């Protein structure tokens, strides 16, 4: 079975968050189920630079303001199609914002182009290859089902339009633009309506995808329920409820080859669940780097620093962590105010801070910290708790979204049954956070209990096996 995935990020070529990890790992996992995925990506400089075995396969005279070439290529085992369109993508740095931190003003055209080319491929742009299902990720691919639905003559309806699946990784990013751009984006007037791309008087990219895709998934079953409520729906809950059983949740996994402490070259010492005492060398390395005492209970953070992640709770609770015999290592980047709050709170011997993005340090934190703090206000799935568990670092999470679905709380019953893998808290507020920190410290003092939890966490299934089977079933169901 041939599937076209359409994504704006793809690990290891371009990444700002978990979307890249998922788009990068899912094709390999689906291959085991007889599904061959080709991924369409924007030709950002980082993507074009890392592409192997490139071959131009199609020329486009005018793609929203300039010429473009569709280039086929590979990255490892991954099959890629890349839109080389310098007028849209030949810009350094972050894919969405310029050096001033603001969205690129032509983002509507940049991502409409991605969706447009995806829809053209679905309709048979390349004579030798045609996908049976198209799978769009997030708002950047949101217009794809709209282009499939609205632009095409009646004669070519039916079999020439493969079914589409839209996956929501984060409802907080919806992609909206001025309704006046409708014609410039190549959409006919009839597309602008409640059953099309119209969203509160603008054009809504994600809205269009949710309304018009044959099926909508999101990245955990709990988030799939949350987004159908007014509290969690961010304005889309009515539309999502209206789609009924066409909305479902499929949990993310992580690539267990990339995230494998037994083979991880970046660590101070490699280990498996059987040799987990060797984590101590990684804790030592981490503590030496940040001037911390390895005898203390070490909390880690690996995160974007945004309101979503709830880490604004942490600066005021650093003193509590210290009183509980703990210390903290923070790796993160994001809102300047939050970055400043951490800089102001930094005290030698209590907290280590690295503001920025550092893949290698992330690995060392998962391998060296005792627990990972993820007090998110909402979390569609979350991958850091999965990486942490795989590396024997116990996640401390709010009971929301994918965090609720992947971490087994160390309550009395789970501890007695030997099933616990982490700590859940009811809400992202200071009292709940500090109560939970207290619980972590209590279990930490019971070394046998902690060790058991660590073994459970490292043995938990965090890979793609089960979820890839669900995507494969979904795709097959749509073409049956
Ligand atoms: P989100 O996509 O909402 O940021 P996820 O938990 O799904 O959250 O994915 C985050 C991914 O980005 C993980 O692979 C994590 O290791 C990585 N990551 C986040 N922040 C950093 C950072 N500052 N440095 C390195 N890796 C990071
Ligand atoms: C988003 C979400 C995160 C999820 C990731 C991959 O960035 O914030 O929870 O894990 O996408 O699906």
């Amino acid at each position: 079975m041939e599937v076209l995935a359409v994504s704006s990020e793809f690990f290891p070529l371009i990444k700002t968050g978990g979307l890249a990890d998922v788009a990068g790992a899912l094709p390999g996992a689906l291959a085991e189920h007889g599904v061959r995925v080709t991924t369409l990506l924007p030709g950002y400089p980082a993507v074009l630079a890392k592409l192997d075995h490139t071959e131009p396969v199609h020329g486009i005279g005018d793609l929203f303001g300039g010429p473009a070439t569709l280039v086929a290529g590979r990255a490892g085992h991954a099959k890629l199609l890349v839109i080389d369109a310098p007028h849209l993508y030949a810009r350094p740095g972050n894919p969405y914002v310029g050096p001033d931190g603001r969205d690129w003003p032509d983002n509507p055209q940049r991502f409409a182009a991605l969706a447009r080319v995806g829809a053209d491929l679905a309709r048979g742009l390349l004579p030798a290859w045609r996908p049976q299902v198209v799978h769009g990720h997030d708002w950047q691919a949101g217009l794809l089902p709209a282009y499939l639905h609205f632009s095409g003559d009646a004669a070519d309806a039916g079999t020439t339009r493969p079914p589409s699946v839209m996956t929501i990784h984060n409802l907080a990013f919806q992609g909206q633009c001025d309704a006046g751009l409708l014609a410039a984006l190549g959409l006919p007037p009839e597309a602008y309506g409640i059953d099309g791309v119209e969203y509160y008087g603008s054009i809504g990219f994600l809205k269009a995808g949710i309304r018009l895709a044959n099926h909508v998934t999101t990245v955990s079953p709990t988030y799939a329920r949350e987004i159908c409520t007014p509290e969690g729906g961010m304005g889309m809950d009515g539309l999502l409820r209206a789609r009924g059983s066409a909305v479902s949740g499929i949990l993310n996994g992580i690539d267990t080859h990339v995230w494998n402490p037994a083979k991880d070259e970046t660590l101070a010492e490699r280990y498996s669940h059987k040799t987990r005492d060797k984590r101590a060398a990684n804790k030592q390395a981490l503590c030496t780097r940040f001037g911390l005492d390895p005898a203390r209970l070490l909390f880690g953070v690996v995160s974007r620093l945004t309101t979503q992640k709830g880490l604004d709770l942490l600066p005021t609770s650093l003193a509590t962590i210290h009183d509980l015999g703990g210390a903290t290592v923070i790796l993160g980047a994001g809102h300047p105010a939050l970055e400043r709050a951490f800089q102001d709170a930094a005290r030698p011997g209590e907290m280590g801070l690295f503001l920025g993005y550092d893949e290698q340090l992330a690995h060392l934190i998962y391998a060296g910290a005792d627990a990972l703090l993820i007090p998110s206000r909402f979390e569609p799935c979350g991958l850091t708790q999965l990486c942490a568990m795989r590396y024997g670092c116990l996640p401390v999470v709010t009971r929301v979204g994918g965090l609720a679905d992947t971490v087994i709380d160390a309550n009395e019953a789970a501890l007695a049954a030997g099933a616990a893998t982490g700590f859940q808290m009811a809400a992202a507020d200071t009292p709940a956070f500090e109560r939970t920190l207290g619980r972590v410290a209590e279990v930490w003092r019971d070394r046998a209990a902690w060790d058991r939890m660590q073994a459970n966490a490292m043995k938990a299934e965090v890979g793609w096996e089960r979820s890839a089977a669900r995507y494969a079933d979904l795709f097959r169901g749509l073409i049956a």
Side-chain angles (χ1 to χ4, degrees):
M1 177 177 194
E2 295 284 342
V3 170
L4 173 68
V6 179
S7 174
S8 157
E9 300 188 23
F10 191 94
F11 183 83
L13 305 184
I14 179 90
K15 165 167 166 175
T16 72
L19 166 64
D21 295 298
V22 173
L26 188 53
L30 279 168
E32 312 272 314
H33 297 270
V35 177
R36 199 151 62 159
V37 180
T38 303
T39 305
L40 178 68
L41 290 172
Y44 308 122
V47 170
L48 290 168
K50 291 184 213 155
L51 206 61
D52 289 326
H53 307 293
T54 54
E55 185 198 342
V57 289
H58 187 80
I60 303 167
D62 179 27
L63 185 64
F64 301 130
T69 308
L70 190 58
V71 179
R74 290 195 164 265
H77 293 294
K79 257 185 89 187
L80 300 171
L81 285 166
V82 174
I83 307 169
D84 185 4
H87 65 294
L88 298 173
Y89 307 125
R91 302 169 199 184
N94 181 289
Y96 315 115
V97 299
D100 60 355
R102 287 165 192 267
D103 285 357
W104 294 111
D106 58 346
N107 274 353
Q109 288 83 350
R110 297 173 73 227
F111 296 105
L114 179 68
R116 171 86 253 182
V117 174
D120 290 346
L121 285 164
R123 291 165 169 280
L125 182 71
L126 303 180
W129 178 79
R130 182 128 178 217
Q132 291 160 281
V133 172
V134 266
H135 182 192
H137 294 276
D138 267 353
W139 72 267
Q140 296 90 346
L143 287 187
L144 197 158
Y147 285 124
L148 276 183
H149 189 82
F150 291 108
S151 353
D153 45 67
D156 118 322
T159 54
T160 57
R161 298 179 201 194
S164 54
V165 174
M166 182 77 221
T167 294
I168 303 168
H169 294 267
N170 196 334
L171 206 51
F173 303 104
Q174 303 187 344
Q176 275 148 46
C177 72
D178 197 278
L181 285 176
L182 192 74
L185 297 183
L187 288 161
E190 66 269 23
Y192 191 73
I194 188 158
D195 291 325
V197 305
E198 189 275 337
Y199 185 58
Y200 294 113
S202 329
I203 295 172
F205 281 47
L206 186 62
K207 186 266 167 159
I210 293 174
R211 176 64 192 81
L212 296 165
N214 294 74
H215 193 93
V216 178
T217 70
T218 187
V219 290
S220 70
T222 294
Y223 192 59
R225 286 191 293 277
E226 289 168 350
I227 59 178
C228 289
T229 66
E231 299 74 39
M234 297 188 169
M236 299 273 188
D237 50 295
L239 172 63
L240 285 158
R241 280 195 303 277
R243 297 283 340 243
S245 62
V247 177
S248 61
I250 303 179
L251 210 51
N252 285 336
I254 52 171
D255 185 332
T256 48
H257 300 292
V258 173
W259 298 104
N260 180 0
K263 299 218 170 120
D264 192 328
E265 307 270 343
T266 70
L267 303 187
E269 186 145 353
R270 284 169 243 166
Y271 58 96
S272 70
H273 71 91
K274 289 192 188 122
T275 58
R276 57 188 179 279
D277 53 317
K278 290 193 191 160
R279 289 185 89 251
N282 294 299
K283 184 172 185 183
Q284 179 67 58
L286 192 56
C287 287
T288 304
R289 173 162 172 183
F290 288 100
L292 302 171
D293 174 4
R296 286 183 160 259
L297 163 58
L298 185 61
F299 291 97
V301 168
V302 178
S303 188
R304 290 187 291 118
L305 300 177
T306 64
T307 327
Q308 174 191 345
K309 302 292 177 180
L311 287 162
D312 45 299
L313 297 177
L314 188 51
T316 49
S317 294
L318 285 168
T320 306
I321 290 181
H322 191 251
D323 291 347
L324 289 167
T328 316
V329 168
I330 297 162
L331 165 62
H335 282 181
L338 202 48
E339 293 193 352
R340 256 194 319 276
F342 281 118
Q343 271 165 333
D344 293 346
R347 259 190 261 133
E350 292 182 24
M351 181 186 110
L353 178 65
F354 184 93
L355 293 176
Y357 190 90
D358 185 332
E359 197 80 35
Q360 188 165 345
L361 179 56
H363 284 241
L364 189 61
I365 292 178
Y366 297 133
D370 298 299
L372 195 79
L373 298 173
I374 318 173
S376 303
R377 295 198 164 79
F378 69 95
E379 194 63 72
C381 181
L383 300 174
T384 61
Q385 80 279 19
L386 304 179
C387 300
M389 286 194 276
R390 175 103 167 125
Y391 279 65
C393 174
L394 301 184
V396 182
V397 307
T398 15
R399 196 177 301 121
V400 294
L403 299 173
D405 292 341
T406 53
V407 175
I408 302 176
D409 178 55
N411 60 35
E412 289 289 331
L415 282 174
T421 58
F423 301 85
Q424 291 191 348
M425 59 187 137
D429 58 39
T430 298
F433 187 50
E434 297 200 342
R435 258 197 320 275
T436 309
L437 293 172
R439 269 206 304 139
V440 178
E442 201 182 310
V443 180
W444 159 258
R445 282 191 291 272
D446 180 349
R447 288 306 158 102
W450 189 274
D451 188 57
R452 181 112 163 248
M453 282 183 69
Q454 209 171 43
N456 291 341
M458 290 189 73
K459 286 191 271 184
E461 277 188 29
V462 292
W464 271 106
E465 295 78 6
R466 263 180 305 164
S467 296
R470 300 216 163 112
Y471 276 106
D473 286 348
L474 170 67
F475 295 157
R476 292 219 162 81
L478 288 172
I479 57 171

